[in-house]
Amino acid sequence: MLNKLSFFKALQHDSWVKPFLKHYKKTLWLAIFLGILTFICAGGLMFTSGYLITKSATPPENILLVYVPIVLTRAFGIFRPLLHYLERLTSHNWVFKMTSEFRRKMYDALERDAVFFNNKYRLGDILGLLSEDVAHIQNLYLRTLFPYFTVCGLYVFIIVGLGVISPLFALWMLVLYGLLIFALPLWSVVVNGARQEYEKQLKNALYLDLTDNVLGVSDWIFSERANDYLKRHEENEAKLLMTQEKMRKFERRRDLVGQFIFLAIVVSLIIWASSRFGGTETDSINWIAAFVLCVFPLADAFMPLPTAAQETNVYLDSIKRLNALPNPEKRQKAPEVTAPYELQVKDLVYAYADGHHNVLNGVNLKISPGEKLAILGRSGSGKSTLASLLRGDLTPTAGSVTLNAIKTTEFGDKIAKYIGVIHQTPYLFNTTVVNNVRIGNEGASDEEVWDVLERVGLKKLIKKLPQGLETMVDEAGLRFSGGERHRLALARILLKDAPIIILDEPTVGLDPITERALVKTFMDVLQGKTLIWITHHLQGVEHVDQIVFIEDGQIKLQGAPKQLADNKRYQKLKQVDEGY
Ligand code: ATP
Ligand code: MG
C-alpha cells in the first residue's frame, strides 16, 4: 500500500507532472476520447462480425437481413485502425509538445543557477535529470496515465451501456472489471513495488562493491582473501537473481489471475446473453456470439494495466528529483529585502533524509551586517551543511534560518543576489577568462571585469596572457593553480556584489604561503561585506570578529578571537592546528 500511496503523495505536491496535464487540456481530452473510440470500434467490429458469422451460418432467407451488420462490420473495420492511428498521433504529439516545454522549464530551473549548481546538485544527478527523467515522465504519460484514463472512460461506457439493458448484470461487470482495473494493479504495486525497491538497492550495492573491489583487487590478493570476496559477491548476486525470479513468478501468477477474471467475464456474458436472448428463435444464438466476442479486444486495454501501474515505482524517483529542483514559475515571487542584512539562525536542527542522526542539533547564531564570522569544526561536524542551510539550499528539519526575518528557503534562486558562495574547488567553465568571470554578472563591462581582477590580484597574470581576457581557460599549457582558481571565483562573486559571502574552506590544499596571501586578499576585498568563513583550521582566524566552534551538532565555543585567547580549549585547538 505504501508505494502506491507514496506515488500519489509525490503527485500531490508536484509541480512538474500535473501542470502539464492541465496545459494542453483539449489535445489531451481528444487523445483520450480517440482512445476510447478505438476500443469501442474494436469491440463493435467483433460484435458485428460475431453476429454476422453466426447469422450467415444459418441459411439466410433474405440477403438484406445481413446487410446492416455487413455495413457496420466494414465501418468498424475501417474506423478502428484509423482512430487508433489518430489517437497515437494526437497523444504522441501531445507528449512531445509537452516534453519540449518540460525541457525548457528544466533548463530554466538549472540555467540561472549555473554557477552555483555544483553546490546543490551532483553532476550525475543533473545528467540523470536531463536524460533519464524526461524519458521516464514521457513514459509515465504514454504508458500509464493515458491508458488509465482511456480504460476508465471505457469502463464507464461499458457499465452504463450494460446498465441500460440490465442493471443487475451491469453491477456484476462493475465488480469484475473493477478487479481488473483497480485491484490487480494495486496488488502488483504493493507486492512487486517493494521488491523493485529492494532490487534497486541490491544492484546499487553490487555496483559499488564491484568498483571498490576491482580497484582494491591487489589488497584482496595480498591478504589471500580473494576467495572470501568472490564468495560474498556471489552471495549478493544470488540474492539479486532470487528477487528477480520472485518478481517474475509473481507476474506470472498475477497474469493468470487476470486471465481467470477475464474468463469469468466471458462466462458470465455467455450465461447472461443466453438467458437474456436465448430462446427458441435461431436468431438468439447470433446475439450471444456477438456479445461474447466483443469483450476480447478489450483485453488489450485492460491486461497491460498492472504492469503499467507497477512502473509508477520507477517514475517515482524521477518525480521526486524533478520536484527537488527550484521551480522557475515560483521564482518571480521571491521576496526582496534591503540593507542592512542580518542572518539569524534559531534552534536549527537538521538531519539528512538518509542519515540516522541530526547533523545539526539546536544551533543559535546571529550574524550582524558586515560581521566577519569564522565557523570551525572537525571534518564531518556539519559546517558545509550549515552553509547550505544558511543559503536556503537545504530546508531545516526544525528551527529556522532567516535573512531580515524572511526564511532563506523562500528566496529560491534569488538568494544568489544576497548570498554568494565560494567552494573548496571552484569550477571553471571551458570558455574564455572573461566569460568565466562574467557569469557573476552578465552585464558587466570590460573595465568592471579588469577592476575585479585587479582587486583579487590577477590583473598582471591575465594581462600577460597572449589573448588577455579572451584566453580560453582550457587552452593547452594554461592551467590555473588552486589559488588562482579561488581568485577567479572571488572575482565572480565580487562582480555579482552580493552583500553576504560564504567561503567554504577556500584554502584547503594550498601551501601555507599561498594560503596566507589568499586569506589576506579575501579579507581585503570583502571589506564591508558580511563574511562567513568555514574552515577547519585556525590559520588567519585572528582577522575575524567572531569565531564559532561546532561539535556534536552544536556550538560549543563562541566569541571574538581575543575573548577566546584565554580559553583553554581554544588554546589547545590552536596548538594542534599549528602542529605543536
Ligand atoms: P568537512 O570539514 O569534511 O567538509 P563538514 O563539517 O563540512 O566536513 P558536512 O559536509 O556538513 O561536514 O557533513 C556533516 C555530516 O553530514 C557528515 O556526517 C556527513 O557524512 C553527513 N552528510 C553530508 N552530506 C550528506 C548528504 N547529502 N546525505 C547524507 N548525509 C550527509
Ligand atoms: Mg565541508
Side-chain angles (χ1 to χ4, degrees), residues 343-345 348 365 367 373 375 383-394 401-403 408-409 415 419 502 532 534:
L343 274 168
Q344 179 112 35
V345 179
L348 180 64
L365 191 61
I367 307 170
L373 170 81
I375 299 178
K383 302 182 299 293
S384 299
T385 308
L386 179 60
S388 300
L389 285 158
L390 284 173
R391 252 200 108 213
D393 294 338
L394 294 175
V401 179
T402 54
L403 173 64
T408 48
T409 45
I415 198 71
I419 305 181
I502 301 176
I532 298 158
I534 294 170

Side-chain angles (χ1 to χ4, degrees), residues 202 206 210 231-244:
L202 279 177
L206 268 179
L210 191 65
K231 206 170 132 222
R232 213 178 63 196
H233 191 80
E234 275 165 7
E235 272 169 15
N236 278 339
E237 213 166 45
K239 260 196 230 162
L240 181 66
L241 286 177
M242 209 165 74
T243 315
Q244 286 170 336

Side-chain angles (χ1 to χ4, degrees), residues 352 354 357 359 378-385 505 536:
Y352 283 99
D354 51 351
H357 68 295
V359 174
R378 286 208 186 86
S379 183
S381 58
K383 302 182 299 293
S384 299
T385 308
E505 310 205 39
H536 55 217

Side-chain angles (χ1 to χ4, degrees), residues 94-196:
W94 184 89
V95 164
F96 289 136
K97 236 183 351 194
M98 194 278 310
T99 33
S100 72
E101 284 261 314
F102 198 96
R103 285 204 167 89
R104 197 190 50 69
K105 180 173 168 179
M106 199 149 76
Y107 282 120
D108 209 23
L110 293 176
E111 182 242 306
R112 296 189 200 189
D113 222 19
V115 187
F116 305 104
F117 79 63
N118 53 340
N119 169 32
K120 287 194 200 168
Y121 322 107
R122 278 164 303 182
L123 190 61
D125 283 347
I126 301 285
L127 294 179
L129 279 167
L130 291 177
S131 64
E132 223 176 72
D133 295 349
V134 174
H136 276 168
I137 298 297
Q138 212 159 306
N139 279 342
L140 170 70
Y141 287 117
L142 282 177
R143 293 168 57 151
T144 310
L145 293 179
F146 271 154
Y148 244 96
F149 288 144
T150 308
V151 161
C152 285
L154 202 59
Y155 185 45
V156 172
F157 179 82
I158 294 171
I159 302 305
V160 171
L162 280 174
V164 173
I165 314 176
S166 155
L168 210 63
F169 185 65
L171 206 65
W172 175 229
M173 286 295 115
L174 181 88
V175 173
L176 286 184
Y177 276 116
L179 285 177
L180 276 185
I181 301 174
F182 302 112
L184 266 194
L186 190 68
W187 184 38
S188 197
V189 170
V190 171
V191 177
N192 261 5
R195 288 196 188 124
Q196 252 169 346

